[in-house]
DNA sequence: AAATGTAATGCAAGCGCTTTGAAAATATTG
DNA sequence: CAATATTTTCAAAGCGCTTGCATTACATTT
């Protein structure tokens, strides 16, 4: 591995000059800079980032935190797309991403703060954190720049990105109402996801805006899994709640719900119209095509990355959350 | 940030002793070790990995290389699961994963070698590399430990993991034959994926083993996309090839193919039986349920990680490829 | 008690880079 | 041409840690 001193020796210059030349300091004459760069290239010089990091106390590393153990396909494909957006953004910066695999879910895992400080990362990007996660208290300490997806956390160097969930609910409900539905049931996810209460509010508000009284009996909480959606719909149907439309807080649950509806010998959308949330790939392919509220996941990642980048590089920047637009994708289920 | 010298000062010991104590050197008395550890904890000491890396010339970093720009859902969900496997394995080791986002696909991107040497990573894990990728020549230089998924590369410190594609094809063909099919068409992916020729061979061999002559007219190459599968099936059907079963080299293409078949007013599986490859999530949900060859993606990642770990830590270890078992998942399409 | 062996600790160099403050070389001015 | 300003270069310290070698402290043997 050729290093700066090797180049210095060969060119009979000082180490300092070599370093400065390669870093394009204007205090090094252009001629020298060119010569140094050329020689460095010829000698196959590759800068040692570990040394550089140590000297500069800056790693150009973003720690990407997400949870593998949530194995639903929703979460996976959502996460993957968000990460793609993050990668795309940072692809045009000197930052790389680092992932610290957790060895155990829950207790005994190392503190996020320690891991991060130890690697000297410059910022944290957190996808899919749950309300009961112990990391949250650590993050609140504001020990370094953080951006979360779908979790409202604020601080001097902390912010987040979320879909416009309220709008998403309104789009869905408005559309159902425009189709003539009045009795609209709602299957929500569990409250470990910060978006759940928001979507609940969105559902409720949208109903009221349409002059439809909210009926608690038409709502039920589930767990964002397919089976959960199935069971929720099943119980809604068995208890003979009167409803002609069903709004489901995730596509995966919607798929389960549709299965339950069909098992009850009802037709979708004729007897019960169904709208999901997410627009995952299979929404398009599942059965008859799922009408759903599309989240722009890639964009969430991209904008989040941009935000984080800014927080890191502009110490006096006051971060504000980003809200990403959603749209209603009309297919066969409603 | 408290550092070793701070602890040394407080305890009035030498820096060396502190370092050794924390690293559990037996040359430090147990009593001292305990004292040092306790004090370190009290003082909130967090080791600085940048400094440590520099001193030890070892980063405990694995570079994870994959390509975002391949946006098919197949690739995405395959990749995500492989990565989960990798993360799970390394979760029980001191290694972290680093991802270097590419800013541009293809030319102008930095050399893999430079990036890797620069960050001082200890090994490379490569998912989804294509046969025309410029990285391949670099990898062959054997400049550091590498494990690929689905790409046959060998070297002193290079190996790979693949599904048992031959077996997968045999399972599919045998099953179709057992159902009475004799004319079995095959839609393959493009040859930029190293697995394609293998699956082609597998298909051909399996036919022969069943005493069915190979008929080139019943095979067609496509591109692993849904639309590609659609077009391939369409052209097969339009040219009036005689076949009662269709084996498709990926689930995504199979979904497209089924769409084409239905458009031609043929039924699946009554008129044409279809078997896919991968067993992605939507195989279970698409239409009638796709019969398919399941790849154990998580396991591929896990075993690959284990292999890479070994190559890194045992310099004289001679790496051998890992072949991961596959299984036939029978659903409604065949 | 001297000689020897062993366990515990410390000194100092080094990992490869950045950066401050000073010096040397060159250019500008009256 | 001396005096001043400007450009270019360099020596050395430091980033926080590991580690080979030397040293000291203590235990064992004769």
């Amino acid at each position: 591995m050729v290093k700066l001193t090797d180049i210095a020796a060969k060119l009979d210059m000082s180490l300092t000059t070599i370093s400065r030349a390669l870093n394009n300091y204007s205090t090094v004459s252009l001629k020298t800079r060119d010569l140094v760069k050329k020689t460095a290239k010829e000698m196959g010089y590759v800068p040692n980032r570990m040394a550089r990091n140590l000297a500069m106390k800056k790693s150009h590393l973003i720690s990407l935190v997400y949870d593998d153990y949530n194995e639903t396909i929703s979460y996976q494909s959502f996460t993957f797309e968000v990460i793609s957006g993050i990668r795309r953004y940072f692809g045009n910066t000197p930052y790389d991403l680092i992932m610290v695999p957790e060895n155990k879910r829950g207790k005994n895992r190392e503190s996020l703060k320690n891991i991060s400080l130890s690697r000297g990362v410059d910022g944290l990007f957190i996808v899919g954190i749950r309300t009961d996660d112990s990391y949250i208290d650590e993050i609140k300490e504001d020990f370094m720049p953080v951006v979360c997806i779908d979790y409202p956390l604020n601080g001097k160097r902390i912010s987040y990105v979320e879909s416009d969930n309220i709008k998403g609910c309104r789009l869905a409900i408005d559309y159902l109402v425009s189709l003539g539905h009045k009795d609209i049931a709602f299957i929500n996810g569990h409250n470990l996801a910060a978006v759940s209460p928001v979507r609940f509010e969105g559902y409720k508000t949208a109903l009221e805006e349409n002059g439809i009284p909210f009926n608690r009996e038409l709502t039920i909480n589930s767990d964002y899994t397919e089976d959960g959606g199935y069971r929720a719909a099943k119980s809604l149907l068995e208890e003979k709640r009167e409803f002609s439309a069903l709004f489901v807080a995730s596509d995966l649950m919607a798929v389960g719900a549709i299965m339950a509806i069909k098992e009850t010998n009802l037709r979708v959308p004729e007897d019960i119209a169904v709208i999901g949330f997410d627009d995952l790939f299979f929404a398009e392919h599942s059965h008859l095509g799922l009408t759903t509220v599309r989240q722009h996941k890639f964009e969430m990642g991209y904008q989040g990355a941009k935000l984080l980048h800014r927080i890191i590089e502009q110490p006096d920047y006051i971060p504000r959350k980003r809200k990403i637009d959603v749209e209603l994708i009309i297919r066969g289920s409603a």
Side-chain angles (χ1 to χ4, degrees), chain A:
Chain A
M1 292 270 62
V2 15
K3 48 195 174 181
L4 289 189
T5 47
D6 298 332
I7 307 179
K10 177 147 187 181
L11 250 36
D12 197 28
M13 295 186 199
S14 90
L15 176 57
T16 313
T17 305
I18 306 297
S19 169
R20 291 225 168 92
L22 291 175
N23 288 308
N24 250 321
Y25 275 54
S26 62
T27 60
V28 177
S29 72
L30 228 119
K31 207 174 112 200
T32 315
R33 267 188 266 172
D34 287 343
L35 175 63
V36 171
K37 285 181 193 165
K38 184 165 142 275
T39 315
K41 192 161 208 170
E42 281 170 11
M43 298 177 71
Y45 171 73
V46 176
N48 182 323
R49 311 263 317 242
M50 300 195 264
R52 173 182 261 249
N53 290 346
L54 181 59
M56 311 212 313
K57 296 179 154 224
K58 163 107 192 168
S59 63
H60 281 292
L61 235 35
I62 304 291
S63 182
L64 176 61
V65 180
Y66 72 89
D67 179 6
D68 274 320
Y69 298 73
N70 186 339
E71 284 171 2
T72 69
I73 184 73
S74 309
Y75 175 74
Q76 289 188 2
S77 73
F78 182 89
T79 305
F80 192 94
E81 283 203 48
V82 171
I83 295 176
S84 295
I86 300 172
R87 282 169 49 109
R88 180 86 111 243
Y89 179 82
F90 282 117
N92 296 314
T93 74
Y95 290 83
D96 294 334
L97 299 172
I98 184 172
M99 305 195 299
V100 178
E102 303 173 33
N103 58 345
K104 256 184 222 157
R105 179 73 195 141
K107 59 184 178 177
N108 273 344
R109 66 178 179 180
E110 255 188 279
S111 114
L112 184 62
K113 186 172 168 185
N114 280 5
I115 295 176
S116 309
L117 293 178
S118 181
R119 281 281 187 197
V121 305
D122 300 324
L124 256 46
F125 200 117
I126 302 188
V127 185
I129 194 168
R130 291 160 46 144
T131 52
D132 65 342
D133 198 307
S134 64
Y135 282 171
I136 290 178
D137 289 330
E138 293 193 59
I139 298 170
K140 284 184 179 158
E141 289 180 35
D142 217 336
F143 68 98
M144 74 164 51
V146 178
V147 163
C148 295
I149 292 288
D150 274 345
Y151 198 94
L153 236 32
N154 290 294
K156 274 191 80 63
R157 298 187 294 171
I158 304 175
S159 194
Y160 66 101
V161 175
E162 59 177 3
S163 279
D164 191 339
N165 288 295
I166 299 291
K167 177 176 173 185
C169 295
R170 193 171 51 234
L171 288 175
I173 301 298
D174 286 357
Y175 179 65
L176 288 172
V177 170
S178 78
L179 294 177
H181 295 284
K182 289 205 152 14
D183 302 306
I184 305 174
F186 179 49
I187 300 181
N188 201 1
H190 52 66
N191 283 327
L192 293 176
V195 293
S196 301
V198 179
R199 290 186 189 160
F200 179 75
E201 271 312 302
Y203 161 74
K204 207 170 144 186
T205 310
L207 281 184
E208 281 159 7
E209 283 172 9
N210 280 287
I212 299 175
F214 166 69
N215 176 358
R216 179 163 297 279
E217 296 214 323
L218 287 181
T219 71
I220 184 166
N221 269 35
S222 181
D223 60 1
Y224 287 118
T225 69
E226 182 185 2
D227 189 49
Y230 174 86
R231 289 196 313 269
K234 209 73 175 173
S235 90
L236 237 30
L237 292 163
E238 279 169 2
E239 296 175 15
K240 303 237 183 294
R241 312 276 190 225
E242 291 289 326
F243 60 98
S244 64
L246 179 58
F247 179 39
V248 190
S250 89
D251 283 357
L252 190 58
M253 289 195 294
V255 168
I258 289 177
M259 203 178 299
I261 294 170
K262 290 192 168 168
E263 271 188 28
T264 321
N265 287 318
L266 293 171
R267 291 160 307 164
V268 175
E270 294 83 353
D271 300 314
I272 296 183
V274 177
I275 296 190
F277 208 108
D278 280 345
D279 195 32
L280 299 186
F281 170 81
F282 62 84
E284 191 174 342
H285 291 275
S286 214
H287 315 282
L288 64 188
L290 184 63
T291 296
T292 190
V293 178
R294 173 179 294 169
Q295 299 201 67
H296 296 278
K297 310 151 205 84
F298 182 95
E299 191 64 14
M300 293 175 85
Y302 191 91
Q303 294 300 335
K306 196 167 171 181
L307 178 56
L308 183 55
H309 190 202
R310 208 158 194 176
I311 298 176
I312 292 171
E313 305 219 325
Q314 303 176 16
D316 49 339
Y317 176 71
I318 294 162
R320 294 202 328 114
K321 72 164 177 187
R322 297 280 185 278
K323 196 177 271 183
I324 309 294
D325 201 20
V326 296
E327 60 183 312
L328 184 69
I329 305 295
I330 297 173
R331 300 204 182 86
S333 70

